[in-house]
Amino acid sequence: MNTVSAEPQLAEPYLLGWLASLGLDVDYVRGEGNTLYYLGEDGEEIPVLDFAGGYGSLILGHNHPEITGYARELIAAQTPVHAQFSRHPYANDVAVALDRIVRRETGGDEHYFAIFANTGAEAVEAAVKHAELDRGLRLAALRGELAEGLAAARAAVAGGAVVDPAAYRVTGTAAVAGADGFEVLAGAVARHNAAQLERPPVLLTLEGGFHGKLMGSVQLTHNEGYRAPFAALAQPARFVPAGNAQALKQVVESERATVFGLVVRDGVVTVAERDAPVFCAFVLEPIQGEGGIRVLDEEFAREIQRVTAEVGCPLVIDEVQSGMGRSGDFLASAALGLRGDYYALAKSLGGGIAKTSVMLARASRYRSEFELVHSSTFAKDAFSCLVAKKVLDLLEADGGAAYRTVRERGAKLLGTLEAVRGDFPDVVKDVRGRGLMLGLEFHDQAGSGSPAIRDSAPLLGYTVAGYLMREHRIRTFPTASAVNTLRFEPSLHLTDAEIARLDAALRAVCVLFRTHDGTGLTGTPDTDTDTGTGTQADAGADAGSGAEAGAV
């Protein structure tokens, strides 16, 4: 299954060794549709059914013929990649197409500007960077307004204006008549405002979310194992429990910042409280991918929209995995009624060929200054933009037939997964997702009668993935932060036969768990590491419906 090299293994050798221990260190040589191929001992191609789908990057499948054919044409035509700092009409074509689709999906009429990048994490970081630039400029404007108000109030007091006694109470200072009293008040206001305006930005996101592993985006990723080692390098985020409207309100209120503005009305100086722009952004996935394929609750989504609008916090919608039609809509968030100030798109945007991503910023939020302080070497090149436009054309063709196909194929696959759960409720805890972004969660197996299964419980999904690969030539993986949940993200070309293969394989897995057959699951003797005593699965246990599935 693998190409053996005499050279030292220097490309992530630890990870390769770990994959090898699970039987997942496969050297694939070709991909087509939902199938990957590796070479057998005799050099023959051996097919593997791919349900991982490039972690959601292959809505059109491996090497879609129209995309690869177009890519060959571009390369043959010597299409430039390195033509930075020049006119890029092909990038504008993609931006215009995305703007049209987003406005259609959200029902809005406001345009979105595009900033291109290479990966999903970069698109997320670009959105957060832009939001922080915008916040900084709003802060500067607010400082100017407060300074103007102070100057006007000081001049008014010098001309005989009086200070409203309530102003002293609001600021916690003692009332003193005349200019001296005003200066005491002004000092208290200045100290309060400085403390509020110098607060670090507040980033809000949801528990269970995953937004990348770069220096900034990893602090938005809830999994502490990814985040904690680098916590000192970037601003930490506030994590809100998904679905908990009360917790959302409490977090927002606890972080809210207000400043005092001095106002002169009819010869009286008063104090007016104003919100300060402390919130940088609220970043969320409409369907949490690495968090276990969890769809955001519609009512909670509306509450997020309302609360963020109320405090002026921009909403960054991470559609890196759920977007591009994977949910059955171009934007999974649109089906929830969400409208973002920013969108991050990647993965399938490149059609499985190009490495590209884009951040979309709503026109009323957009700061042109960002174009001068943010750039990326490979972003906005002709090859990736032209491929991305081809992908959009394919998805939008025939009145969005691709989205209808995703919904139909997704419903078929979801029904199959739900049937497995129905027959094995003691093994399968939950089935969830939307379109062709689905997850199946196993019950915890720490109490299994099999030592091998008990030992595998902390990384259960990877052990199951190794079994599916070894015995059924089916490729999938668990979600990164919910390892008991297997992900299923095939292309829209998924066939009934491919669904049937998965059905049989999953039923076989369920039988192994039900019968405590660790040897069958791992392919190694089921030995208790404490006693050295092997265990024999109960062959007579109830195997459940459809359990006779064998290796493909």
Side-chain angles (χ1 to χ4, degrees), residues 284-342:
L284 64 83
E285 301 163 281
I287 305 176
Q288 291 186 340
E290 306 310 314
I293 315 296
R294 299 183 183 277
V295 182
L296 189 64
D297 176 75
E298 288 188 36
E299 185 176 345
F300 187 55
R302 288 193 294 271
E303 185 66 8
I304 291 173
Q305 189 89 70
R306 186 191 67 78
V307 170
T308 53
E310 181 181 288
V311 298
C313 176
L315 186 59
V316 176
I317 301 182
D318 180 348
E319 293 267 12
V320 169
Q321 192 166 168
S322 60
M324 300 297 300
R326 179 150 295 281
S327 71
D329 297 282
F330 186 85
L331 296 173
S333 55
L336 300 174
L338 281 172
R339 185 184 179 194
D341 296 289
Y342 301 90

Side-chain angles (χ1 to χ4, degrees), residues 480-506:
S481 300
V483 294
N484 281 12
T485 300
L486 291 184
R487 73 174 81 221
F488 303 100
E489 300 183 83
S491 81
L492 55 78
H493 302 296
L494 182 69
T495 67
D496 286 349
E498 290 170 339
I499 293 175
R501 278 184 62 185
L502 179 65
D503 178 43
L506 289 175

Side-chain angles (χ1 to χ4, degrees), residues 251-266:
V251 169
V252 168
E253 284 303 316
S254 69
E255 295 288 358
R256 208 162 181 167
T258 59
V259 293
F260 297 141
L262 293 176
V263 181
V264 182
R265 293 193 184 99
D266 300 324

Side-chain angles (χ1 to χ4, degrees), residues 68-102:
T68 54
Y70 186 50
R72 290 190 191 96
E73 292 176 13
L74 295 175
I75 293 171
Q78 298 183 321
T79 300
V81 172
H82 295 282
Q84 300 92 335
F85 227 66
S86 62
R87 188 163 179 247
H88 299 275
Y90 32 79
N92 193 62
D93 290 343
V94 176
V96 168
L98 287 170
D99 174 64
R100 175 179 54 79
I101 294 170
V102 169

Side-chain angles (χ1 to χ4, degrees), residues 69 101 159 283 344 381 526:
I101 294 170
V283 186
D381 70 280
D526 199 359

Side-chain angles (χ1 to χ4, degrees), residues 496-517:
D496 286 349
E498 290 170 339
I499 293 175
R501 278 184 62 185
L502 179 65
D503 178 43
L506 289 175
R507 290 177 179 276
V509 171
C510 290
V511 169
L512 296 176
F513 283 137
R514 180 175 281 178
T515 60
H516 311 286
D517 186 355

